[in-house]
Amino acid sequence: MPIASPEVYSEMLDRAKAGAFAYPAINVTSSQTLNAALRGFAEAESDGIVQVSTGGAEYLSGPTVKDMVTGSVAFAAYAAEVAKNYPVNIALHTDHCPKNKLDGFVRPLLAISKERVARGEAPLFQSHMWDGSAVPLDENLQIAEELLAEAAAAHVVLEIEVGVVGGEEDGIVGAIDEKLYTTVEDGLATVAALGLGEKGRYIAALTFGNVHGVYKPGNVKLRPEILKEIQDALGAKYGKEKPLDLVFHGGSGSLLSEIRSALDYGVVKMNIDTDTQYAFTRPVAGHMFSKYDGVLKVDGEVGDKKSYDPRTWGKAAEEGMAKRVVEACEHLRSTGTSITK
């Protein structure tokens, strides 16, 4: 299938909300990790989301070039071509973008999409994230309102973050304190500023103890009931059940019961990066250790070309990551839910 159109992406989000499931949003940094994600979604018969962070976009442009827009445009063009060969719908997304990178990342990409839409083409990406967690809520929502207008004009969904995800991702550090928990008042302020779709579609990353990084199950203290409290308060005020489409960040180390509760409260997208990074790299490490004398020219020998051919260990890496994507679909109940079925 082609990359999801704005209409198909909206249908994906609506179906997830109605069915109490979510799409894994897989961070990718290369053609190999993209292909692994696509394979995983296809094997799970699940539509899905692939995304690039600011650091991932820089890397995609070339480690010595470090141009986020160049990397993003190249990634989107490649993804649009290879995704045609998979029987699922894939949406393209850009991950956390703080205030100091908006002018070098999200805004130029929105401008490109707006130009494409004016020519009768699809937007370059289906959604972009504005990470305003490091600025006061009033400023966060003011910028979000401005970006939402730009995104709506480009037929793009905006993702916002209200609250703080702890830990570190791509140099963005969130303190582990009371700001890890979005309040009902924060939720009410968000809808007062952004509406419930009439100003443009958005999805909201509300925080309930989320932390980026590597943690054993149970070590992250999540309180998914916060999502229910916010949804209930908004529902009572606006007469709509679970009015917000929610995003789950920092899911590594979460208990399956916590994930499933979040789905019941309106989460439609869950970011997965740490776990898929390991799933990609672990087979490579196994290959290198088990074929040590093949990948290295030890003691003056010539090594084994088939062992150090990047395609050999690359296939193993992609298979490992694809399996983790399949597992994510199972955890998020998206297995077998593709619109194409």
Side-chain angles (χ1 to χ4, degrees):
M1 299 293 292
I3 293 296
S5 66
E7 295 76 18
V8 168
Y9 190 34
S10 287
E11 183 182 354
M12 286 169 57
L13 298 176
D14 290 342
R15 283 165 58 94
K17 183 78 154 296
F21 66 87
Y23 299 105
I26 307 298
N27 280 73
V28 300
T29 54
S30 64
S31 61
Q32 285 186 302
T33 50
L34 169 63
N35 288 334
L38 295 175
R39 173 179 172 177
F41 285 125
E43 290 179 355
E45 298 183 318
S46 170
D47 298 324
I49 301 168
V50 291
Q51 58 190 25
V52 292
S53 63
T54 55
E58 283 187 345
Y59 185 76
L60 281 159
S61 74
T64 61
V65 176
K66 294 186 177 181
D67 185 292
M68 294 181 288
V69 173
T70 296
S72 298
V73 172
F75 158 73
Y78 182 82
E81 192 60 37
V82 297
K84 295 176 184 177
N85 297 309
Y86 293 87
V88 289
N89 296 286
I90 300 296
L92 305 182
H93 177 79
T94 60
D95 201 8
H96 292 271
C97 181
K99 181 181 177 181
N100 65 338
K101 294 188 178 181
L102 281 173
D103 288 342
F105 191 41
V106 167
R107 286 193 174 111
L109 293 176
L110 281 172
I112 291 171
S113 285
K114 191 174 180 180
E115 292 172 2
R116 289 169 59 95
V117 168
R119 296 195 300 265
E121 302 172 11
L124 193 66
F125 283 81
Q126 284 61 62
S127 51
H128 294 293
M129 182 185 179
W130 149 236
D131 183 353
S133 60
V135 302
L137 182 62
D138 288 348
E139 183 181 3
N140 181 353
L141 295 178
Q142 179 185 352
I143 293 173
E145 191 171 7
E146 295 168 0
L147 290 171
L148 184 59
E150 294 180 45
H155 298 179
V156 169
V157 174
L158 181 69
E159 180 181 333
I160 63 167
E161 183 170 312
V162 178
V164 176
V165 176
E168 180 178 353
E169 182 176 52
D170 264 5
I172 300 172
V173 181
I176 299 177
D177 55 25
E178 73 281 354
K179 292 183 180 179
L180 293 182
Y181 303 95
T182 307
T183 66
V184 169
E185 290 73 24
D186 294 338
L188 291 168
T190 297
V191 175
L194 304 183
L196 285 173
E198 66 275 11
K199 295 183 179 182
R201 185 157 193 170
Y202 67 94
I203 53 181
L206 306 184
T207 57
F208 50 103
N210 319 58
V211 180
H212 287 133
V214 185
Y215 300 90
K216 293 182 179 179
N219 282 14
V220 177
K221 305 303 179 185
L222 295 178
R223 294 171 53 200
E225 65 273 11
I226 287 175
L227 302 180
K228 184 178 187 303
E229 292 170 6
I230 295 172
Q231 293 277 41
D232 287 349
L234 289 169
K237 181 169 183 176
Y238 294 97
K240 183 179 180 181
E241 185 180 3
K242 293 189 292 189
L244 290 179
D245 299 328
L246 302 179
V247 182
F248 188 155
H249 285 251
S252 298
S254 303
L255 300 174
L256 183 58
S257 60
E258 295 169 333
I259 293 172
R260 294 283 171 80
S261 293
L263 302 182
D264 293 337
Y265 302 148
V267 165
V268 297
K269 171 180 179 280
M270 178 173 169
N271 289 14
I272 299 174
D273 186 17
T274 301
D275 289 352
T276 46
Q277 285 179 345
Y278 182 78
F280 183 86
T281 302
R282 178 62 182 83
V284 179
H287 176 88
M288 298 303 172
F289 283 126
S290 64
K291 300 184 182 298
Y292 179 83
D293 57 351
V295 297
L296 297 178
K297 298 181 179 181
V298 179
D299 296 330
E301 294 298 324
V302 296
D304 176 13
K305 183 180 184 302
K306 291 183 178 179
S307 293
Y308 59 75
D309 184 335
R311 290 171 294 183
T312 302
W313 50 263
K315 289 176 183 176
E318 290 183 31
E319 181 180 5
M321 182 172 165
K323 288 180 178 178
R324 183 61 184 86
V325 173
V326 170
E327 181 183 347
C329 292
E330 293 170 354
H331 289 172
L332 299 183
R333 303 176 180 149
S334 72
T335 302
T337 63
S338 175
I339 295 172
T340 62
K341 285 180 63 66

Coordinates of all heavy atoms in Angstrom, one line a residue, residues 288 291-304 308:
M288 N 28.7 -11.2 15.3 CA 30.1 -10.8 15.4 C 30.9 -11.7 16.4 O 32.0 -12.1 16.1 CB 30.2 -9.3 15.8 CG 29.6 -8.3 14.9 SD 30.3 -8.5 13.2 CE 29.2 -7.4 12.3
K291 N 31.1 -15.3 14.9 CA 31.9 -15.4 13.6 C 33.1 -14.5 13.7 O 33.5 -13.8 12.7 CB 31.0 -15.1 12.4 CG 29.9 -16.1 12.3 CD 29.1 -15.8 11.0 CE 27.9 -16.7 10.9 NZ 28.3 -18.1 10.8
Y292 N 33.7 -14.4 14.9 CA 34.8 -13.5 15.1 C 35.9 -13.6 14.1 O 36.4 -12.6 13.6 CB 35.4 -13.8 16.5 CG 36.5 -12.9 17.0 CD1 36.3 -11.7 17.5 CD2 37.8 -13.4 16.9 CE1 37.3 -10.9 17.9 CE2 38.9 -12.6 17.3 CZ 38.6 -11.3 17.8 OH 39.7 -10.6 18.2
D293 N 36.3 -14.8 13.8 CA 37.5 -15.0 12.9 C 37.1 -14.8 11.4 O 37.9 -14.8 10.5 CB 38.2 -16.3 13.1 CG 37.2 -17.5 12.9 OD1 36.0 -17.3 12.8 OD2 37.7 -18.7 12.9
G294 N 35.8 -14.7 11.2 CA 35.3 -14.4 9.8 C 35.1 -13.0 9.5 O 35.4 -12.5 8.4
V295 N 34.7 -12.2 10.5 CA 34.5 -10.8 10.3 C 35.7 -10.0 10.5 O 35.8 -8.8 10.0 CB 33.4 -10.2 11.2 CG1 32.0 -10.9 10.9 CG2 33.7 -10.4 12.7
L296 N 36.8 -10.6 11.1 CA 38.0 -9.9 11.3 C 39.1 -10.7 10.6 O 39.1 -11.9 10.6 CB 38.4 -9.7 12.8 CG 37.4 -8.9 13.6 CD1 37.8 -8.9 15.1 CD2 37.4 -7.5 13.1
K297 N 40.1 -10.0 10.1 CA 41.3 -10.7 9.5 C 42.3 -11.0 10.6 O 43.3 -10.2 10.8 CB 41.8 -9.8 8.4 CG 40.8 -9.6 7.3 CD 41.4 -8.7 6.1 CE 40.4 -8.5 5.0 NZ 40.9 -7.8 3.9
V298 N 42.0 -12.0 11.4 CA 42.8 -12.4 12.6 C 44.1 -13.0 12.2 O 44.2 -13.9 11.3 CB 42.0 -13.3 13.5 CG1 42.8 -13.7 14.7 CG2 40.7 -12.7 13.9
D299 N 45.2 -12.6 12.8 CA 46.5 -13.1 12.6 C 46.9 -13.2 11.2 O 47.5 -14.2 10.7 CB 46.6 -14.5 13.2 CG 46.4 -14.5 14.7 OD1 46.8 -13.5 15.4 OD2 45.9 -15.5 15.3
G300 N 46.6 -12.1 10.4 CA 47.0 -12.0 9.1 C 46.2 -12.8 8.1 O 46.5 -12.9 6.9
E301 N 45.1 -13.5 8.5 CA 44.3 -14.3 7.6 C 43.4 -13.3 6.8 O 43.4 -12.1 7.1 CB 43.4 -15.3 8.4 CG 44.2 -16.4 9.1 CD 45.0 -17.2 8.1 OE1 44.4 -17.5 7.0 OE2 46.1 -17.6 8.3
V302 N 42.6 -13.9 5.9 CA 41.8 -13.0 5.0 C 40.4 -12.9 5.5 O 39.6 -12.1 4.9 CB 41.8 -13.6 3.6 CG1 43.2 -13.6 3.0 CG2 41.2 -15.0 3.6
G303 N 39.9 -13.6 6.5 CA 38.6 -13.5 7.0 C 37.6 -14.2 6.0 O 38.0 -14.9 5.1
D304 N 36.3 -14.0 6.2 CA 35.3 -14.6 5.4 C 34.4 -13.5 4.9 O 33.6 -12.9 5.6 CB 34.5 -15.6 6.2 CG 33.4 -16.3 5.4 OD1 33.4 -16.1 4.2 OD2 32.5 -16.9 6.1
Y308 N 31.5 -10.9 6.8 CA 31.5 -9.5 7.0 C 30.7 -8.7 6.0 O 30.6 -7.4 6.1 CB 32.9 -8.9 7.2 CG 33.9 -9.2 6.0 CD1 33.8 -8.4 4.9 CD2 34.9 -10.1 6.1 CE1 34.7 -8.6 3.8 CE2 35.8 -10.3 5.1 CZ 35.7 -9.5 4.0 OH 36.6 -9.7 2.9

